[in-house]
Amino acid sequence: ARYTELKHGRVAMLAVVGYLVTYAGVRFPGAENIPCGFAALNEIPGMVWAQMLATQFVMEMANGRLTLDGKDFTGTQEFPGDFRNGFIDFGWNSQSDAWKEKKRAVELNNGRAAMMGILGLMVHEQIGNIGAVLPYGQ
């Protein structure tokens, strides 16, 4: 469904940024010794895994109970993936329908590009030439 593609695209956009930032050496306080990429999987403490899983669970439950078309059960979403819930608008409601469709298409296409981008970064890391792709990190 389109909602699933949109959600995966949003996660991929965050993943690409996170991969590039950690590869450049930026770390949260207390995580300075954790490497980037796949090497981090074995170094992440158990409580951090628990926090990540709990966050994912809460986010899925907060946006859960979706209908088959991806809309929330309250009916407040304008489209699948709309998480404003009538609270934060940032001027979205004051824009034309054509503008909204264009912005939604841009987000969807950027998400598709990010899905391919994170896949490419992970593949290059596994084949051992990530330094050739990202020469200014590590």
Side-chain angles (χ1 to χ4, degrees), residues 9 16 27 44 52 54 63 70 73 85 91 97 107 115 117 124 130:
V16 167
R27 301 289 192 278
I44 295 176
M52 288 190 296
N63 299 311
F73 68 98
N85 298 325
D97 287 341
E107 180 184 22
M115 285 187 267
H124 280 285
I130 193 69

Side-chain angles (χ1 to χ4, degrees), residues 3-106:
Y3 165 73
T4 304
E5 183 181 12
L6 183 61
K7 182 167 71 168
H8 288 149
R10 288 173 177 171
V11 170
M13 286 187 267
L14 289 172
V16 167
V17 171
Y19 192 99
L20 296 175
V21 167
T22 56
Y23 192 79
V26 178
R27 301 289 192 278
F28 285 117
E32 294 87 0
N33 296 328
I34 295 180
C36 65
F38 286 108
L41 295 176
N42 295 328
E43 301 294 326
I44 295 176
M47 286 307 296
V48 174
W49 281 110
Q51 290 172 356
M52 288 190 296
L53 291 173
T55 301
Q56 180 183 5
F57 177 78
V58 168
M59 290 171 64
E60 289 293 332
M61 291 300 103
N63 299 311
R65 295 179 50 190
L66 300 174
T67 61
L68 291 177
D69 61 355
K71 292 193 175 186
D72 66 346
F73 68 98
T74 62
T76 58
Q77 288 183 331
E78 185 176 332
F79 55 89
D82 177 15
F83 298 130
R84 293 175 295 145
N85 298 325
F87 179 66
I88 298 176
D89 188 87
F90 296 116
W92 180 264
N93 286 337
S94 64
Q95 301 296 331
S96 69
D97 287 341
W99 183 90
K100 291 178 185 180
E101 287 296 320
K102 180 181 178 192
K103 291 299 182 181
R104 289 179 58 200
V106 166

